[in-house]
């Protein structure tokens, strides 16, 4: 059992996601998180910062934040950088690192030394109290524009970041750190601190590495964002060429590991690339910038018109007259670079950790959401024109947080649809080209669940929903009620184009409020980040209601939003509430017994724990579980917890809901029997006069309340206390009694038994007889058929005369609608008195019905009914095709489902259309516990449609492909006029390592989902 109680809402970093990617891909590279900032570290794509709707003057909305006049003045520390690198040598190192930026002919930038600081900045004059740094006066954020600190012993970094931050074993990441901590409302960068770690300047190679890293940090301080161009230099796929290295920008997000340094394997490491020069020119354009370079710009849009943010757009020079890319000259820009990357949401809030509005950076103009700008493209040396190619790609999912490319620091979504390639020939300097792109096959989204805190959408009885966060800033609001002392889970899975779990589009976060909270207040419970569960694409929230009257219900409001505050047509997701509401009975004997749990989101794969002990699940439906409670253990008195866990590790708990309230000394006594003193027989189909009443008595002879009594019959009679069924478990009332009426359904002696879990039992008997054909009865329950469907319904009835089968009798059949006969026929009873007929049930509107009548020659008739319905919440149940393990040379067994109308208990639904969607993907072996694995490659897909027969069942043969390890996902969706139901089957085919012939073994797991 997992004891997982709810965690109240509160802020939290996105550390898990960073670690996940770092552990997934980081081989032979070094993550460089060298830039520290009290402001959001990457609120734009292209420029690092863009004016938003808060803090900056209105005229700065959507414009880059830069140094006034392009002038950057720094003041150097008075101390030595290290025993190897003197103060004078360090000053030369700083000037050399700044020189590439001031040498860009198309950018108006100056970086100069204004003098020295008034002191040697060290751990002796730097401190940190309650998270607030105290610097010397001329280093503070309102002092000299840029303070260049020589941290000789690493004590400044250790104070700023924490012990060990300056460790020389990490010089590839901690040799240089920068902090931009002040802006003016007029849209200028006002102050920065750059810290050089003296522990990483002890030899010539380290100093050269520091110069390279400082050059990059100057780019960040100037206001440049990271850039993704020739990313194969970082990923290694495809193998990078000399051209790729020559075009790899200095402002790449993550450095290479060159065997102890970050620069020596780059090639011309202290030379800016075209991408760097173009980005700098866009921020600080010189007079000749527009006339001497090429500009290609435009907007990328979804088919519905919304801008598509987060697409990496690249312009690559083509070898003249060919389509061969010259990747030594490439520039990139992320679409939506000037649009906001996160405006916050109702779940995680709208301010950063320091309380600053998230709307400080990035425009809120929808026109900028998909905009890109590739200005600053250069002509090859000696040429008057150039050919350029525009391509589109996803931002590398590693580039998040401090390494984010573009404004979405939590990660840019994967582009939707197919984006082509555009070629521009013979383009001259000063040319401006506009290329808008509407992605025709992109996602179109849907209406989704919307609402607001005060007008949330009521949750369906199933507890599940499918929706989209279709527009920027969309939040889905749903409402439900939960009893006191309950824990329940909200499971939200982002879904990709294939409808399965995805972590490359929406990033759902979930919050929950009590209904009497003030609108706009922080949630009482919230996830601090997306994808916080061990299941791919799933965000999970646990909510706990307080103690109180167990019968009372607390109104709850639940919100689903994107962690970035984003919303677009490809942000689809599914939501499900796992909630245990009531327990019946609430008291069981010490030896245990059967209980029914009502709620939502249940499945046959759930596990149940009572008082920490595993309980046997006897049956399951989405709204109920029938559970065999184990015997009392551990000497527990009072109420105990009942917990339900599902395969995604979601849990719901009824705290203290079950009481062990009887002992093995309890006995049963008969109070009354059917018929009483009026006899012990009657006719089939007629309720026996009088009830069967029993009393539970404890060891002292007193009535025992709340004791489970199991009623059962031997000959199929209906028991009123069981809702017309022939068996059930009920609890005794306060007087220790429970009673039931009995209706026989066939001739003969019926024995009804009442028993306790300790073995005590009592019985009563009733004899049912038939005369003159009155024993004519149908052997099937009424038919439930999907509205608008015509079905063939095999029916049969049994004819008895004085409990003797009527052999060879003719039964006349008719299908009636009111007084109108739709079809007719006849058949003859067999040696058991059984006669059959296939009734043609016509198409009917919901709520309509037809009657199937069978009559003997003496006019005795029996009827049954076929009813048309259009259930809102149909249920798909897997009957067979699970738990298979077969050699690859054999055929996978068929998958058989039963479709019911969602009632409790469910009625089989005939004539329902079921669509089987199959996706066969390459097998991805399981990773280490907690490891997230990349999506598999799709090998084949198909859809098959079938219709349920009169028993509500449908069968399909799964897609197979031999010789290739694969995973088959089968999603069966039944769609009625009013709702849908779904069952997902997962078939995993893996190669058996021990088999030299490579024989595949196919494993099949299935679970229900709604």
């Amino acid at each position: 059992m997992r004891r997982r109680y709810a965690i109240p809402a509160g802020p939290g970093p996105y550390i898990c996601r960073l670690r996940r990617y770092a552990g997934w891909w980081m081989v032979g590279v070094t993550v460089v998180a060298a830039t520290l900032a009290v402001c959001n570290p990457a609120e734009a794509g292209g420029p690092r910062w863009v004016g938003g709707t808060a803090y900056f003057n209105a005229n700065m909305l959507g414009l880059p934040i830069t140094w006034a006049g392009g002038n950057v003045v720094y003041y150097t520390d008075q101390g030595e950088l290290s025993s190897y690198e003197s103060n004078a040598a360090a000053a030369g190192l700083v000037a050399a690192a700044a020189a590439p930026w001031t040498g860009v002919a198309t950018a108006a930038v100056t970086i100069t030394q204004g003098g020295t600081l008034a002191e040697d900045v060290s751990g002796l004059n730097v401190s940190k109290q309650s998270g607030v740094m105290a610097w010397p006066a001329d280093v503070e954020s309102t002092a000299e524009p840029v303070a260049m600190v020589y941290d000789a012993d690493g004590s400044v970094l250790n104070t700023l970041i924490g012990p060990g931050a300056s460790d020389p074993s990490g010089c590839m990441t901690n040799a240089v750190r920068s902090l931009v901590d002040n802006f003016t409302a007029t849209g200028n960068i006002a102050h920065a601190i750059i810290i050089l770690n003296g522990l990483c300047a002890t030899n010539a190679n380290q100093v050269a590495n520091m110069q390279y890293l400082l050059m990059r940090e100057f780019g960040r301080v100037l206001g440049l964002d990271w850039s993704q161009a020739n990313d194969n230099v970082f990923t290694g796929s495809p193998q990078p060429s000399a051209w790729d290295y020559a075009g790899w920008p200095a402002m790449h997000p993550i450095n290479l590991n060159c065997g102890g340094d970050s620069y020596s394997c780059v090639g011309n490491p202290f030379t800016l690339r075209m991408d760097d020069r173009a980005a700098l020119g866009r921020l600080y354009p010189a007079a000749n910038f527009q006339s001497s370079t090429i500009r290609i710009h435009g907007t990328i849009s979804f088919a519905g018109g919304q801008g598509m943010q987060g697409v990496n757009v690249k312009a690559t020079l083509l070898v003249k007259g060919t389509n061969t890319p010259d990747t030594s000259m490439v520039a990139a820009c992320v679409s939506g670079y000037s649009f906001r990357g996160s405006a916050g949401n109702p779940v995680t809030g709208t301010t950063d950790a320091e309380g600053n509005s998230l709307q400080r950076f990035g425009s809120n103009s929808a026109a900028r959401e998909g905009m890109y700008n590739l200005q600053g493209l250069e002509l090859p040396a000696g040429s008057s024109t150039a050919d350029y190619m525009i391509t589109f790609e996803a931002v590398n999912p590693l580039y998040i947080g401090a390494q984010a490319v573009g404004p979405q620091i939590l990660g840019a979504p994967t582009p939707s649809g197919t984006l082509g390639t555009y070629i521009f020939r013979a383009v001259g300097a000063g040319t401006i080209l506009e290329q808008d792109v509407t992605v025709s096959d992109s996602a179109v989204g849907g209406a989704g669940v919307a609402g607001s805190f005060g007008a949330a959408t009521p949750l369906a009885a199933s507890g599940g929903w499918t929706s989209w966060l279709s527009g920027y800033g969309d939040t889905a609001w749903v409402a439900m009620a939960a009893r006191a002392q309950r824990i329940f889970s909200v499971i939200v899975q982002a879904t990709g184009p294939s409808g399965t779990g995805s972590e490359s589009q929406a990033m759902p976060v979930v919050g929950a409020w009590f209904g009497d909270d003030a609108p706009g207040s922080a949630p009482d419970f919230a996830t601090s980040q997306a994808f916080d569960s061990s299941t791919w694409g799933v965000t999970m929230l646990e909510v706990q209601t307080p103690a109180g009257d167990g019968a009372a219900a607390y109104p709850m409001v639940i919100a689903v939003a994107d962690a970035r505050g984003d919303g677009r047509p490809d942000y689809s997701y599914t939501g499900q509430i796992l909630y245990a509401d009531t327990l019946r009975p609430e008291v069981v004997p010490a030896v245990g017994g059967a209980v029914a749990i009502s709620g939502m989101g249940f499945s046959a794969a759930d596990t149940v724990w009572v008082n920490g002990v595993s309980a046997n699940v006897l049956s399951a439906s989405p709204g109920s579980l029938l559970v065999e409670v184990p015997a009392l253990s551990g000497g527990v008195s009072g109420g105990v917890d009942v917990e339900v866990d599902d395969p995604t590790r979601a849990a719901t708990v009824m705290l203290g809901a079950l009481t062990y309230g009887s002992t093995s000394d309890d006995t049963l006594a008969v109070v009354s029997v059917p018929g009483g003193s009026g006899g012990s027989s009657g006719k089939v189909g007629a309720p026996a006069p009088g009830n069967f009443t029993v009393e539970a008595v404890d060891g002292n002879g007193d009535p025992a309340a709340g004791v489970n009594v199991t009623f059962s019959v031997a000959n199929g009679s209906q028991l009123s206390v069981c809702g017309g069924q022939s068996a059930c478990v009920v609890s005794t009332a306060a007087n220790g009694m429970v009673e039931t009426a009995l209706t026989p359904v066939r001739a003969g002696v019926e024995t009804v038994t009442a028993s306790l879990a300790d073995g005590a039992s009592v019985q009563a008997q009733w004899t049912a007889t038939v005369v003159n054909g009155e024993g004519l009865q149908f052997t099937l329950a009424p038919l439930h058929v999907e509205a608008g469907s015509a079905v063939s319904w095999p029916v049969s009835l049994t004819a008895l005369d004085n409990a003797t089968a009527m052999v060879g009798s003719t039964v006349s059949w008719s299908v009636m609608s009111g007084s109108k006969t739709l079809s007719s026929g006849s058949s003859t009873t067999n040696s058991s008195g059984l006669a059959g007929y296939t009734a043609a049930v016509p198409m009917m509107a919901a709520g309509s019905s037809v009657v199937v009548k069978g009559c003997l020659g003496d006019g005795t008739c029996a009827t049954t009914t076929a009813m048309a319905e259009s259930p809102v919440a149909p249920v798909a149940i897997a009957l067979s095709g699970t738990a298979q393990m077969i050699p690859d040379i054999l055929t996978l067994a068929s998958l058989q489902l039963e479709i019911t109308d969602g009632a409790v208990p469910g009625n089989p639904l005939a004539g329902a259309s079921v669509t089987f969607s199959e996706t066969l993907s390459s097998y991805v072996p399981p990773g280490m516990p907690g490891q997230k694995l990349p999506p598999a490659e799709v090998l084949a897909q198909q859809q098959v449609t079938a219709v349920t027969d009169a028993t509500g069942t449908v069968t399909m043969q799964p897609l197979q492909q031999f010789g290739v390890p694969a995973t088959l996902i089968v999603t069966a969706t039944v769609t009625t006029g009013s709702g849908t139901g779904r069952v997902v089957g997962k078939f995993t085919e893996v190669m058996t390592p021990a088999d030299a012939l490579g024989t595949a073994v196919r494993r099949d797991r299935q679970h229900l989902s709604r």
Side-chain angles (χ1 to χ4, degrees):
M1 181 187 71
R2 299 174 295 103
R3 174 58 65 235
R4 298 179 7 165
Y5 292 134
I7 301 174
Y14 284 76
I15 294 173
C16 292
R17 192 165 173 80
L18 288 167
R19 287 178 178 170
R20 173 186 308 164
Y21 286 119
W24 200 14
W25 292 98
M26 304 310 291
V27 179
V29 300
T30 300
V31 177
V32 180
T35 303
L36 307 172
V38 296
C39 52
N40 201 324
E43 276 291 344
R48 186 178 176 189
W49 299 289
V50 170
T53 57
Y55 182 75
F56 295 104
N57 294 344
N59 65 340
M60 287 305 300
L61 182 64
L63 299 181
I65 308 302
T66 59
W67 289 91
N71 299 316
V72 181
V73 180
Y74 63 86
Y75 291 76
T76 57
D77 199 320
Q78 288 196 8
E80 306 293 336
L81 177 56
S82 68
S83 59
Y84 179 85
E85 192 77 355
S86 67
N87 183 277
L93 180 154
V94 173
W101 299 107
T102 60
V104 176
T106 53
V109 171
T110 62
I111 305 175
T112 58
Q113 182 177 359
T116 62
L117 299 172
E119 64 282 306
D120 174 6
V121 183
S122 70
L124 298 177
N125 51 25
V126 171
S127 63
K128 190 175 188 179
Q129 296 292 331
S130 302
V132 178
M133 286 292 294
W135 301 92
D138 55 353
V139 182
E140 289 285 357
S141 61
T142 55
E144 308 299 355
V146 179
M148 190 70 62
V149 175
Y150 300 158
D151 188 11
D153 60 1
S155 58
V156 176
L157 279 176
N158 293 341
T159 302
L160 176 64
I161 303 173
S166 62
D167 190 327
S169 65
C171 287
M172 289 176 55
T173 63
N174 64 13
V176 183
R177 300 276 186 169
S178 70
L179 172 69
V180 178
D181 57 0
N182 195 10
F183 301 95
T184 68
T186 56
N188 293 129
I189 305 168
H191 186 262
I193 303 171
I194 300 177
I195 305 171
L196 306 186
N197 181 3
L199 301 181
C200 296
T202 62
N203 57 56
N205 187 61
Q206 283 191 337
V207 170
N209 186 64
M210 180 174 284
Q211 179 182 334
Y212 178 69
L213 297 179
L214 180 56
M215 179 186 73
R216 285 165 45 81
E217 285 308 302
F218 267 125
R220 295 292 276 171
V221 169
L222 282 165
L224 271 69
D225 191 14
W226 300 123
S227 181
Q228 177 178 306
N230 293 353
D231 201 43
N232 62 311
V233 173
F234 168 65
T235 65
S237 179
Q239 181 71 31
S241 66
W243 275 359
D244 294 332
Y245 278 98
W248 194 44
M251 297 308 294
H252 55 264
I254 300 177
N255 279 327
L256 296 179
N257 183 342
C258 298
D261 64 64
S262 302
Y263 76 97
S264 60
C265 59
V266 172
N268 297 318
F270 305 110
T271 300
L272 299 181
R273 277 43 171 184
M274 183 179 77
D275 182 80
D276 304 309
R277 297 189 294 268
L280 188 68
R282 292 195 292 269
L283 289 186
Y284 304 96
N288 65 340
F289 178 60
Q290 180 172 328
S291 61
S292 62
T293 63
I294 299 165
R295 181 189 181 197
I296 303 175
H297 70 106
T299 299
I300 305 173
S301 303
F302 283 89
Q306 181 178 350
M308 189 183 296
Q309 190 179 24
V311 180
N312 196 53
V313 187
K314 294 192 305 180
T316 307
L317 181 72
L318 296 178
V319 175
K320 196 69 173 178
T322 75
N323 289 335
T324 302
D326 178 355
T327 54
S328 68
M329 295 184 66
V330 60
C333 176
V334 173
S335 63
Y337 68 93
S338 62
F339 191 69
R340 57 181 45 162
S342 174
N345 59 73
V347 176
T348 57
T350 56
T351 58
D352 63 19
E354 286 76 36
N356 300 307
S357 172
L358 291 175
Q359 299 184 32
R360 286 192 305 162
F361 298 104
S363 173
N364 62 350
S365 171
R368 291 180 176 269
E369 191 170 2
M371 185 182 296
Y372 69 93
N373 181 21
L374 290 165
Q375 188 173 12
L377 306 179
E378 300 169 356
L379 298 175
S383 298
S384 59
T385 64
D387 297 345
Y388 270 97
M389 173 178 66
I390 302 296
T391 56
F392 309 88
E393 65 184 8
V395 174
N396 189 324
L398 281 176
Y399 300 155
I400 57 178
Q403 288 78 43
V405 173
Q408 295 166 308
I409 65 169
L410 301 182
T414 299
S416 176
T418 306
L419 288 91
T421 298
Y422 297 85
I423 294 177
F424 305 90
R425 300 288 187 185
V427 184
T431 302
I432 299 175
L433 302 170
E434 182 173 0
Q435 181 63 64
D436 295 330
V437 179
T438 298
V439 187
S440 60
D441 62 346
S442 60
V444 296
V449 174
S452 63
F453 181 88
T457 302
L459 191 64
S462 66
W465 71 99
T466 298
S467 190
W468 294 261
L469 298 171
S470 288
Y472 191 87
D474 273 5
T475 299
W477 298 89
V478 296
M480 63 173 289
R483 294 182 186 273
Q485 292 191 283
R486 297 291 189 267
I487 296 172
F488 64 90
S489 293
V490 186
I491 306 119
V492 176
Q493 184 171 47
T495 53
S498 65
T500 57
S502 170
E503 293 192 2
S504 57
Q505 277 88 25
M507 297 179 65
V509 288
V510 186
W513 293 256
F514 290 103
D516 57 359
D517 289 341
S521 61
D524 298 295
F525 305 90
T527 57
S528 61
Q529 66 179 73
F531 311 131
D532 58 353
S533 82
S534 59
T535 302
W536 186 257
V538 169
T539 303
M540 191 181 303
L541 175 68
E542 286 189 351
V543 180
Q544 181 174 345
T545 57
D549 181 358
Y554 290 94
M556 303 293 302
V557 178
I558 297 166
V560 178
D562 182 74
R564 298 157 292 208
D566 200 3
R568 44 192 256 176
D570 55 346
Y571 282 9
S572 58
Y573 72 94
T574 60
Q576 179 66 59
I577 307 294
L578 177 63
Y579 168 60
D581 182 68
T582 57
L583 188 68
R584 293 291 183 270
E586 296 178 347
V587 180
V588 296
V591 294
V595 298
I597 302 172
S598 298
M600 59 181 66
F602 301 139
S603 80
D606 291 347
T607 55
V608 178
W609 305 85
V610 177
N611 192 31
V613 179
S614 177
N616 184 29
V617 178
L618 302 175
S619 65
S621 70
S624 66
L625 295 171
L626 184 61
V627 178
E628 183 180 6
V629 174
L632 177 64
S633 62
V636 175
S637 60
V640 298
D641 296 349
V642 178
E643 177 175 344
V644 180
D645 298 340
D646 81 358
T648 69
R649 298 185 63 80
T652 178
V653 186
M654 296 185 287
L655 300 172
L658 180 69
T659 301
Y660 284 93
S662 61
T663 71
S664 59
D665 295 332
D666 292 337
T667 59
L668 280 177
V670 175
V671 177
S672 65
V673 296
S677 59
S680 59
S681 65
K683 294 184 178 181
V684 169
N691 292 336
F692 179 39
T693 307
V694 297
E695 179 185 20
V697 180
D698 63 20
N700 297 321
D702 298 322
V707 173
N708 282 352
V709 177
T710 301
F711 282 97
S712 61
V713 295
N715 203 27
S717 295
Q718 299 172 348
L719 300 176
S720 62
V721 75
C722 299
Q725 302 299 310
S726 58
C728 64
V729 179
V730 293
S731 297
T732 57
N735 61 1
M737 294 187 185
V738 64
E739 64 180 359
T740 183
L742 180 146
T743 302
V745 297
R746 57 177 59 92
V749 176
E750 179 63 277
T751 300
V752 56
T753 301
S755 59
L756 299 179
D758 62 9
S761 65
V762 292
Q763 293 182 334
Q765 289 188 335
W766 179 259
T767 301
T769 61
V770 292
V771 293
N772 298 326
E774 291 181 3
L776 199 64
Q777 61 186 26
F778 276 90
T779 58
L780 295 177
L783 178 71
H784 296 257
V785 62
E786 165 65 14
S789 295
V791 299
S792 296
W793 183 23
V795 296
S796 60
L797 53 71
T798 302
L800 301 173
D801 189 354
N802 288 320
T804 302
M806 299 176 64
V807 180
S809 297
T810 299
V811 178
S812 299
W813 300 92
S814 58
V815 179
M816 310 288 294
S817 175
S819 60
K820 181 180 179 181
T821 300
L822 304 180
S823 59
S824 60
S826 63
S827 60
T828 303
T829 58
N830 62 14
S831 59
S832 300
L834 188 70
Y837 176 68
T838 300
V841 178
M843 291 187 291
M844 297 181 288
S848 303
S849 64
V850 295
V851 173
V852 178
K853 181 188 294 185
C855 298
L856 296 175
D858 62 2
T860 301
C861 298
T863 61
T864 189
T865 305
M867 300 165 286
E869 58 178 300
S870 184
V872 174
V875 176
I877 302 169
L879 298 179
S880 64
T882 61
Q884 299 181 60
M885 183 180 293
I886 65 172
D888 189 45
I889 58 173
L890 300 182
T891 302
L892 190 67
S894 61
L895 174 64
Q896 187 177 53
L897 309 180
E898 179 185 30
I899 308 303
T900 71
D901 59 5
V904 180
N907 301 300
L909 186 64
S913 178
V914 182
T915 299
F916 295 92
S917 300
E918 301 177 85
T919 299
L920 189 70
S921 305
S922 59
Y923 173 68
V924 177
M928 299 297 292
Q931 179 184 0
K932 296 298 177 114
L933 299 174
E937 176 188 358
V938 175
L939 303 176
Q941 292 180 310
Q942 72 175 14
Q943 276 195 345
V944 179
T945 301
V947 178
T948 57
D949 61 18
T951 65
T953 58
V954 64
T955 302
M956 64 84 66
Q957 185 62 40
L959 176 67
Q960 286 188 253
Q961 187 175 105
F962 302 110
V964 178
T967 298
L968 175 63
I969 303 293
V970 181
T971 303
T973 304
V974 54
T975 302
T976 67
S978 303
T980 60
R982 178 176 295 171
V983 61
V984 179
K986 183 174 182 181
F987 304 82
T988 303
E989 177 183 292
V990 298
M991 303 301 290
T992 306
D995 191 337
L997 297 177
T999 302
V1001 175
R1002 187 178 296 264
R1003 304 179 189 273
D1004 169 15
R1005 298 199 316 271
Q1006 286 202 0
H1007 65 275
L1008 299 181
S1009 65
R1010 290 285 302 281

